[in-house]
Amino acid sequence: MTSSSHGRDMRPPRLLILGGTSEARELAARLAALEAAGAGGFEISVSLAGRTRNPLALAAPVRSGGFGGVEGLAAHLAAERIDVVVDATHPFAAAISRNAVKAAGIAGVPMLALLRPPWERQPGDIWTDAPDIPGAVAALGTAPRNVLVTLGRNEVRALEAAPQHHYLVRSIDPVDPPLALPRVVYIEARGPFALEDERALFAAHHIDALLSKNSGGAATYGKIAAARALRVEVVMVARPSRPQVETVATIDAVLDWLAERFPRSAPD
Ligand code: NAP
C-alpha cells in the first residue's frame, strides 16, 4: 500500500464514501481493484443509512446507521481521521448531502459529490411533472387508475391521500405496516429491471400510470422506456434541491478528482 503524509502519521489517506447506491458500490469496487493491482492507496470505508434489510455486499468496510446530524458526521470525520469524503448518495437523499457539506466544512475535509444526471424527456414520453410526492399523488387525478408506484417504502404512505386508485407498489423491502388502502398489490424486487420485463409487468397489471422519482441512471430506466412504448403517463417527481458542492456525474470523474487531489495515492 502506498504511503502518504496525511495527518501526523505516514498512512494512506482515508476516504469515506457516503453510499446506498449502485454508484457507491461500483466506486468502492473500482478503488479496491486499483488497490489490488498496486495502483490504489486509500483506506476506504462506506457509510450506509441502514434502511435496507439485506444490502448488497461492498468491496470495503461498511458502517451503518445515521451519524446524528451535522455534528455527528463532523465528529465521525474527526474521530476516524477521514481525509476526503465522496457523497455518492441517491439524488433524493438531500438531507445527508446537506449534512455532509456542512460537516466536511466543519472538519476541514475536501468533499466531492457524485450525482447521476436526471432522466430527460424523450420524444413519445408522456410526463407530468410533480414538485414532490404528495403533488405527484394529486396529479394522478380523481378517476381510478392502475398505477405502478416505484417510491421508497417510507414514501408510499402519501398514496393514502388517493384511495380511489389501484396501486402496484414495488419496493426492495416489504411495506410494513401495509398501506391503509383498499386496492394495493405489493411486489418486492431490486433492480436492475430490463425493458422487456417492465413491459410485461405493465401489461399483466393493466398499468395506465407510473409514479416515479426522477432518479436517473440505467438500472431503473426500463420502466420509463416501457411507459413510452406503451403510451403510459409518467408522473415524475422532481429532484429535491441539493447543496452547493463540487459535483461530477461519473465514477471515472471521481477517480480523476481523487488522483488530482491525492497524487501519491490514486492511480496514474
Ligand atoms: P436522507 O433523507 O438524505 O437522510 C436522512 C438521514 O438518514 C440522514 O440525516 C442521516 O441520518 C441518515 N443517512 C442517510 N444516508 C446515510 C448514509 N449513507 N450513511 C449514514 N447515514 C445516512 O436519506 P434517504 O433519502 O432516507 O436515503 C437513505 C439512504 O438510502 C441513502 O444512503 C441513499 O443513498 C439511499 N437511497 C435513497 C433513495 C431515495 O430515493 N431517497 C433511493 C435509493 C437509495 P443522521 O442525520 O442521523 O446522520
Side-chain angles (χ1 to χ4, degrees):
M1 185 179 278
T2 317
S3 285
S4 172
S5 55
H6 294 274
R8 293 212 183 105
D9 50 350
M10 295 290 286
R11 60 168 176 81
R14 289 190 180 154
L15 164 62
L16 173 66
I17 301 172
L18 299 172
T21 55
S22 53
E23 286 87 350
R25 219 169 43 249
E26 195 182 327
L27 176 61
R30 294 270 303 268
L31 286 164
L34 290 166
E35 183 67 34
F42 289 93
E43 257 181 59
I44 310 162
S45 58
V46 181
S47 176
L48 301 179
R51 308 269 165 75
T52 305
R53 288 183 188 172
N54 297 303
L56 296 175
L58 277 146
V62 174
R63 68 156 302 286
S64 186
F67 295 98
V70 173
E71 293 74 20
L73 179 49
H76 176 85
L77 298 179
E80 297 298 321
R81 296 184 296 160
I82 301 292
D83 297 297
V84 54
V85 176
V86 173
D87 174 11
T89 57
H90 191 269
F92 279 76
I96 186 69
S97 296
R98 276 196 299 275
N99 289 358
V101 170
K102 288 183 188 154
I106 292 168
V109 169
M111 182 185 144
L112 180 70
L114 168 60
L115 190 68
R116 60 176 93 137
W119 296 315
E120 300 292 346
R121 202 184 294 255
Q122 302 297 321
D125 279 334
I126 308 167
W127 285 13
T128 298
D129 296 321
D132 51 26
I133 290 170
V137 174
L140 291 169
T142 51
R145 302 175 79 176
N146 296 328
V147 188
L148 172 60
V149 178
T150 57
L151 302 174
R153 67 189 165 116
N154 299 317
E155 297 163 328
V156 291
R157 304 257 147 233
L159 301 175
E160 291 174 353
Q164 69 274 27
H165 305 300
H166 293 57
Y167 293 108
L168 178 63
V169 171
R170 181 167 69 191
S171 57
I172 294 178
D173 288 319
V175 176
D176 184 23
L179 299 172
L181 284 168
R183 287 168 291 273
V184 53
V185 172
Y186 301 96
I187 307 179
E188 285 155 41
R190 193 197 300 257
F193 300 105
L195 169 59
E196 282 317 308
D197 294 340
E198 297 292 57
R199 282 186 74 135
L201 185 74
F202 276 60
H205 293 268
H206 308 288
I207 295 299
D208 57 24
L210 166 66
L211 203 171
S212 173
K213 294 184 287 189
N214 194 337
S215 297
T220 58
Y221 190 70
K223 63 190 174 188
I224 306 298
R228 179 187 312 132
L230 298 169
R231 309 287 301 154
V232 165
E233 181 188 0
V234 181
V235 179
M236 186 67 87
V237 182
R239 293 181 171 192
S241 65
R242 310 255 320 169
Q244 290 287 321
V245 66
E246 194 174 351
T247 301
V248 296
T250 65
I251 290 164
D252 283 336
V254 175
L255 295 175
D256 288 346
W257 186 88
L258 289 170
E260 228 168 78
R261 297 256 168 169
F262 300 90
R264 292 163 60 202
S265 310
D268 297 331

